[in-house]
């Protein structure tokens, strides 16, 4: 309900990635060249460039056979170290899972939602720690036991070692995810009496007209949560949706199915026996044709399906006749459909947000959506493996574990907070200043609105705070956004997982980190003596 | 120290360990079977009845969860509370309910948590929904949740009282009471309950639960039982103990509000009178028969002069003190008013007065003006004599408004029939005495009947 | 005959540093030596003298603090050279969860080798090192000697041209030791180059062509085993039993050069003597190269290997 799938600007993301990656590698290279020049004279930069060349050579001459050997070794190691014991925990959780999940037998749809969230959460929470620990301890343990010595004295390249480890642990993670996913699927299906489907929404853009009918915003009825804007009944206030790429389906006689999930807000009791009424109308700005659809009662927090027939009848006020209008031919031009939503009851409000009205495409089977959600967990596991293996290339097991865990926690839990802080700081709307300033304000009971008295100490404080924010900015740009892997809300809300707004960003984040991880891991392994210290 | 040989050092360590173990054993050893066995903590636990099983039903999943979390229970609960806040803000009610359940799994004996969440579900979440059926669903959720809490904390009266309050006040007195009371008997989820009640709320539809107020009375009774061995901390003891009887009155009153007059209502009031002054059907002493302790010793609300004298003698306080405190306590719960009210309402005459006024108004709305006029006159007649019999009712808002409203209808009929309004009529005394209330009642009257 | 140098070490120094970059140990000081194709080269020295360090530097496991290394004509850090190298570490650092077959299969896969050949070779090696009975057991169940054996097999999986063995006979039983020596000799016969460290001097004496003795990271002695152990200034006669007269006569006869000589030669010191003398001398006069023939008196600072006489 609170999720708002926005299309992911993949092109922009790739460009941003290229810039970031390019500039970081550039800076690192420049620093390396400069320091080596200072330290070792002309031989230094030559050595640095030699390393770069080595990387290229090693990449070109990478041998899939060796990578496979190393990854199957890794896989065997994980299995023989009993990593799969996690399935015991999994089995236990599932056997007793039903106990924990209260049975609201009255609402099978809600019950299914709880079960689905539970299963996906369990898969995530069990898989991630396992792959995290495995990947963070693999290489350090190899170095500590010096078994790596027998490998690097064979013609195994450092990138092959990195990839071998990465792929091996990924295979372990994949097996865990797949098995748990399959078991979880049957568990959900068995626990849930109702038929599960993955609904496929097509979202549009939303604009508002205010009560005078001018473009503007809806009203806030006092919610902390600014997700929905409210439209006042019996005024000219409207929610205006524009849907693109709307074409007739396989069956040309069929119209469209819309689904709404508006929220009702009453300023007076009104008629308690029925829900607030909402009227949708379709219009074509080119022909100025407007067709009003039958009003419907808003049922909150559940699916309101509205069937729109292809042939609509409308009352023409000019000729006083009833006309028949074709939805696709007369109302939709170039695949673009405009829908207006208004509240009918005077003094009552309807809350609307972009994803609150959408076109329902043909349903997909539940397992499709579910598989995609599991795929999201899988991508996350893979990214964790990549981060863990990379960290383990330059620090020991415990440190690598902590480091990766920190990434995971920041990237998942603190992401929102961090984004907000950075955004507010960049736009100078941060109340109360940075950490030091806030601290001082706290101690001195100073209101955030009161400006700090100017002076040297304030300048110092603000300077320190500014650097902290720079640091935060860097962290924000380095730590992966793990939220992109969360596909559970889609499927728990009964939707299919959207490709553009969920799978693509997930893939982008995952792949975006692989190359930097490989580089970092490669050079960490290459530039250090593989001796246990 | 470092001169010690390795063996001596080990001996020192061993002694140290034993010394440290002693307090652990003394404090923490679990109790074996018998009384007074086990360590200090175990004995304290027994003394104060704090053992998991003695607190109420044990939920295996909750116990498992706490075990699995080891010492991290506090952290986990905090996270869950934060999550709950977020879910509440973003209106994810079902997820919120699931989080609520998890929290109580972790803190099963924290009464405030149960109270808070039960209230939150039944009142706040319910109010967030637009449709009455949905609202009712959440009232039920809150009630069931609190019921579950009461089972987990069997010895404590508070949650039982909360359940009684939700079943009574929330269902019977909120804006949507007419719907809720109907839903209580026939759940809107017809698919699941096939037109019957939700058995979890109405206890398998047994007859003593056929009305929400009766169910509420049942839960208040249980709360009172529990209260006898375990003090409650929500209100003054006397106030707390009046609720079963009050639920009975609310029941009778609700029947009247719904226009149901006759034997059943009269009997309901008669039972209320008995509950209030004599004894409950269960054989327990009625509310008025209970002894409550005041600075002037025990008082009984239903007490004659002789009773008070006897009590005064027993507690060796002056009769005046006893009388003052008795009356003060009676005032706190409006004892005399409810006594009179239930007594009056159980009379056939009262019932007839109510019914005739109600019927008269109904006839008016149906447009049968002459019949209505007659009916109202008969009702007003009886009403006036009722007020004569029970003068204290003349200061009861409900009665005053009922009487004035009857006159308003009756007067309007005269206007419509274009006949003069007579100088003298049965309720004239009341009409003149309470003239100040008439304008606002008139507005209600016009609105209810769509008169411009 | 100018033979190809398989290993060239020039002025190699190694300083172990701690995490903060502070010097801990200077493990090698300005070491220079060459190993020629087809020879068996022994690195000797007391514990901690830098033998293992040298091997690890040769393999690129450690980075030199100074100096240059070329192995098979390539820098030590080059990965491709490993195609032709076999290495048996000081202790067998293998994957303990694999069994013998899996171990050889795994290491074999790291080389460019057809699967067929890999399997054949693994099988041969397992038999050769005498582990046929234990091929399916995980290495964590192996005894020390068995682990050494599988370690050796692992080092030979690619049929290397250059074999580096760090204490190959440690932990082996007498038969194993014997087999190991035979193996080394066989490798030499196949034209392979072997570099080994060992404390078992008798074994070194048996198999090595040339040796170097390190002491505290410095090269003290280097040369052909037969030359190093021969005493140039003396002649040894072995005769049948002589009585006193005869003895007196021998002297005369010897003076007249017409006695029957049963055997004349230089007496050979045992390698143990040489080793102990070198260590004693190095302890007494640190920083000097030990010259066995000079009775220790006139040591010269370690010269560049180019100065070592070629036979
Ligand atoms: N990883 C290391 N960190 C610090 N110092 C080390 C390390 N490895 C070896 N050394 C030191 O370097 C010196 C040479 O060690 P090395 O292992 O090369 O000796 P070795 O000749 O092989 O001895 P042994 O006969 O005992 O095997 C020793 O003083 C040792 O303490
Ligand atoms: Mg060594």
């Amino acid at each position: 309900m609170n999720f708002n799938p926005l299309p992911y600007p993949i092109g922009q993301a790739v460009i941003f990635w290229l810039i970031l990656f390019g500039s970081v590698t550039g800076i690192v290279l420049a620093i390396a060249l400069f320091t080596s020049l200072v330290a070792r004279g002309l031989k230094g930069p030559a050595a640095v460039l030699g390393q770069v060349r080595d990387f290229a050579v090693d990449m070109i001459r990478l041998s899939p056979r060796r990578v496979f050997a190393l990854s199957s070794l890794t896989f065997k190691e994980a299995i023989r170290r009993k990593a799969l014991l996690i399935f015991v925990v999994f089995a236990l959780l599932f056997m007793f899972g039903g106990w924990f999940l209260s049975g609201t037998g009255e609402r099978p749809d809600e019950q299914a939602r709880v079960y689905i969230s539970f299963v996906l959460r369990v898969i995530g929470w069990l898989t991630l720690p396992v792959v995290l620990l495995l990947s963070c301890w693999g290489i350090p343990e190899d170095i500590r036991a010096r078994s790596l010595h027998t490998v690097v004295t064979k013609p195994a390249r450092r990138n092959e070692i990195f990839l071998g480890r990465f792929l091996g642990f990924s295979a372990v993670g994949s097996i865990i995810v797949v098995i748990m996913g399959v078991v979880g699927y049957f568990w959900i299906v068995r626990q849930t009496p109702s038929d599960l489907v993955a609904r496929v929404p097509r979202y549009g853009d939303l604009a508002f007209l205010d009560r005078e009918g001018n473009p503007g915003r809806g009203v806030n009825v006092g919610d902390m949560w600014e997700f929905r804007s409210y439209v006042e009944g019996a005024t000219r206030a409207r929610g205006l949706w524009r849907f693109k790429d709307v074409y007739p389906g396989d069956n040309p006689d069929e119209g469209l199915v819309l689904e709404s999930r508006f929220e009702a807000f009453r300023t007076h009791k009104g008629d308690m026996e029925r829900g607030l009424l909402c009227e949708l109308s379709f219009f074509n700005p080119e022909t100025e044709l407007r067709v009003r659809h039958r009003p419907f009662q808003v049922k909150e927090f559940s699916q309101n399906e509205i069937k729109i027939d292809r042939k609509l009848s409308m009352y023409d006020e000019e000729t006083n006749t009833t006309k028949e209008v074709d939805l696709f031919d007369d109302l939709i031009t170039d695949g673009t459909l405009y829908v207006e939503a208004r509240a009918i009851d005077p003094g009552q409000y309807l809350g609307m947000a972009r994803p609150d009205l959408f076109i329902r495409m043909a349903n997909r089977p539940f397992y499709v959506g579910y598989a995609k959600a599991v795929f999201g967990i899988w991508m996350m596991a893979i990214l964790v493996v990549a981060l863990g293996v990379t960290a383990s290339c330059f620090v020991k097991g415990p440190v690598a574990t902590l480091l990766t865990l920190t990434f995971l926690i920041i990237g998942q839990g603190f992401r929102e907070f961090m984004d907000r802080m950075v955004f507010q700081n960049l736009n100078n709307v941060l109340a109360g200043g940075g950490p030091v300033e806030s601290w001082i304000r706290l101690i001195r009971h100073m209101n955030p609105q009161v400006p700090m008295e100017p002076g040297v100490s304030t300048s110092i404080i603000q300077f320190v705070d500014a650097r902290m924010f720079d640091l935060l900015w860097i962290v924000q740009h380095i730590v992966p956004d793990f939220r992109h892997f969360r596909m559970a809300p889609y499927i728990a809300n009964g939707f299919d997982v959207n490709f553009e707004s969920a799978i693509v960003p997930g893939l982008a984040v995952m792949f975006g980190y692989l190359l930097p991880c490989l580089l970092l891991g490669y050079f960490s392994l290459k530039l250090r003596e593989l001796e246990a210290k | 120290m470092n001169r010690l040989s390795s063996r001596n050092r080990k001996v020192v360590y061993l002694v140290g360990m034993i010394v440290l173990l002693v307090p652990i054993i003394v404090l923490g050893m679990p109790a074996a079977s018998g009384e007074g066995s086990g360590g200090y903590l175990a004995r304290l636990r027994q003394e104060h009845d704090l053992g998991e099983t003695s607190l109420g039903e044990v939920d295996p999943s909750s116990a498992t969860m706490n075990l699995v979390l080891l010492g991290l229970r506090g952290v986990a609960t905090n996270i869950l509370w934060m999550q709950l806040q977020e879910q509440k803000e973003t209106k994810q009610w079902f997820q919120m309910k699931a989080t609520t359940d998890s929290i109580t799994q972790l803190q099963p004996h924290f009464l405030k948590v149960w109270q808070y969440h039960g209230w939150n579900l039944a009142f706040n979440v319910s109010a967030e929904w637009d449709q009455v059926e949905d609202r009712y669903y959440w009232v039920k959720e809150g009630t069931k949740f609190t019921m579950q809490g009461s089972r987990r904390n069997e010895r404590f009266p508070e949650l039982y009282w909360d359940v009684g309050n939700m079943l009574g006040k929330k269902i019977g007195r909120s804006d949507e009471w007419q719907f809720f009371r109907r839903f209580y008997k026939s759940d809107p989820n017809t698919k699941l309950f096939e037109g019957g009640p939700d058995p979890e709320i109405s206890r398998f539809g047994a007859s003593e639960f056929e009305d929400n107020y009766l169910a509420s009375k049942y839960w208040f009774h249980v709360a009172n039982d529990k209260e006898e061995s375990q003090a409650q901390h929500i209100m003054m003891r006397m106030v707390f103990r009046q609720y079963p009887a009050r639920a009975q009155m609310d029941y009778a009153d609700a029947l009247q509000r719904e226009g149901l007059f006759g034997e059943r209502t009269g009997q309901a009031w008669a039972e209320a009178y008995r509950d209030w002054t004599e004894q409950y059907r269960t054989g327990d002493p009625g509310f008025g028969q209970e002894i409550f302790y005041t600075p002037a010793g025990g008082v009984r609300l239903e007490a004659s002069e002789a009773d008070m004298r006897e009590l005064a003698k027993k507690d060796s306080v002056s009769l005046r003190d006893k009388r003052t405190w008795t009356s003060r306590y009676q005032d706190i719960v409006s004892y005399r008013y409810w006594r009179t009210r239930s007594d009056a309402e159980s009379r056939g005459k009262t019932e007839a007065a109510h019914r005739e006024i109600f019927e008269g108004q109904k006839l008016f709305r149906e447009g049968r003006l002459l019949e209505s006029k007659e009916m109202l006159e008969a009702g007003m007649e009886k009403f006036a004599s009722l007020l004569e019999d029970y003068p204290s009712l003349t200061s009861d808002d409900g009665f005053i408004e009922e009487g004035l409203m009857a006159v308003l209808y009756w007067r309007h009929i005269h206007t419509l029939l274009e006949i003069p309004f007579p100088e003298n009529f049965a309720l004239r005394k009341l009409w003149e005495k309470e003239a100040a209330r008439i304008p606002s009642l008139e507005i209600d009257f016009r609105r209810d009947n769509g008169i411009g | 005959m100018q033979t190809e140098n398989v290993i060239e070490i020039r002025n190699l120094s190694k300083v172990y540093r701690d995490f903060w970059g502070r010097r801990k140990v200077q493990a090698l000081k300005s070491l220079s030596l060459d190993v020629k194709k087809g020879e068996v080269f022994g690195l000797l020295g007391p514990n901690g003298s830098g033998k293992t360090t040298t091997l690890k530097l040769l393999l690129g496991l450690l980075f030199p603090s100074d100096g240059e290394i070329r192995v098979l004509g390539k820098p030590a850090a080059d990965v491709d050279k490993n195609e032709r190298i076999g290495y048996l570490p000081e202790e067998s650092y293998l994957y303990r969860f694999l069994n013998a077959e899996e171990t050889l299969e795994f290491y074999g896969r790291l080389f460019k080798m057809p699967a067929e050949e890999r399997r054949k070779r693994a099988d041969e090696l397992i038999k050769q090192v005498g582990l046929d009975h234990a091929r399916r057991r995980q290495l964590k169940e192996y005894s020390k000697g068995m682990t050494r054996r599988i370690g050796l097999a692992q080092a030979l999986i690619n049929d290397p041209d250059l074999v580096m063995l760090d204490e190959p006979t440690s932990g082996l039983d007498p038969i194993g030791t014997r087999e190991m020596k035979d193996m080394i000799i066989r490798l030499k016969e196949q034209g392979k180059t072997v570099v080994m460290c060992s404390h078992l001097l008798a074994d070194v004496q048996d198999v090595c062509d040339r040796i170097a003795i390190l002491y505290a990271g410095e090269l003290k002695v280097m040369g052909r085993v037969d030359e190093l152990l021969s005493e140039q200034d003396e002649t040894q006669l072995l005769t049948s039993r002589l009585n006193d007269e005869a003895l007196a006569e021998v002297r005369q006869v010897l003076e007249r050069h017409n006695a029957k000589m049963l055997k004349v030669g230089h007496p050979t010191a045992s390698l143990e003597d040489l080793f102990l003398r070198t260590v004693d001398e190095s302890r007494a006069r640190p920083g000097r190269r030990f010259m066995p023939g000079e009775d220790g008196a006139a040591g010269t600072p370690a010269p560049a290997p180019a100065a070592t006489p070629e036979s």
Side-chain angles (χ1 to χ4, degrees), chain A residues 67-95:
Chain A
V67 173
F68 178 72
L70 285 160
S71 51
S72 49
L73 174 87
T74 305
F75 185 78
K76 260 185 213 153
E77 177 176 7
I79 303 296
R80 303 225 170 132
R81 289 231 176 103
K82 317 233 163 25
L84 297 188
L85 275 184
I86 195 67
F87 284 121
V88 176
V89 184
F90 180 71
L92 281 177
L93 273 176
F94 267 45
M95 280 195 288

Side-chain angles (χ1 to χ4, degrees), chain B residues 181-229:
Chain B
R181 273 179 55 78
R182 200 171 71 228
F183 291 158
Y184 179 83
K185 284 165 206 153
S186 153
D187 200 278
N189 189 342
T190 45
K191 226 198 238 126
L192 199 66
F193 303 114
E194 294 165 348
D198 181 344
E200 266 188 80
I201 293 290
S202 99
R203 284 279 171 111
F204 318 109
S207 69
E208 65 257 54
F209 297 103
E210 70 181 9
D211 191 280
N212 66 298
Y213 278 117
L214 293 179
S216 146
K217 182 181 178 186
Y218 165 84
W219 284 89
F220 283 137
H221 259 311
V222 181
N224 274 0
D225 281 352
K226 305 284 174 185
E227 197 265 348
E228 268 157 28
S229 49

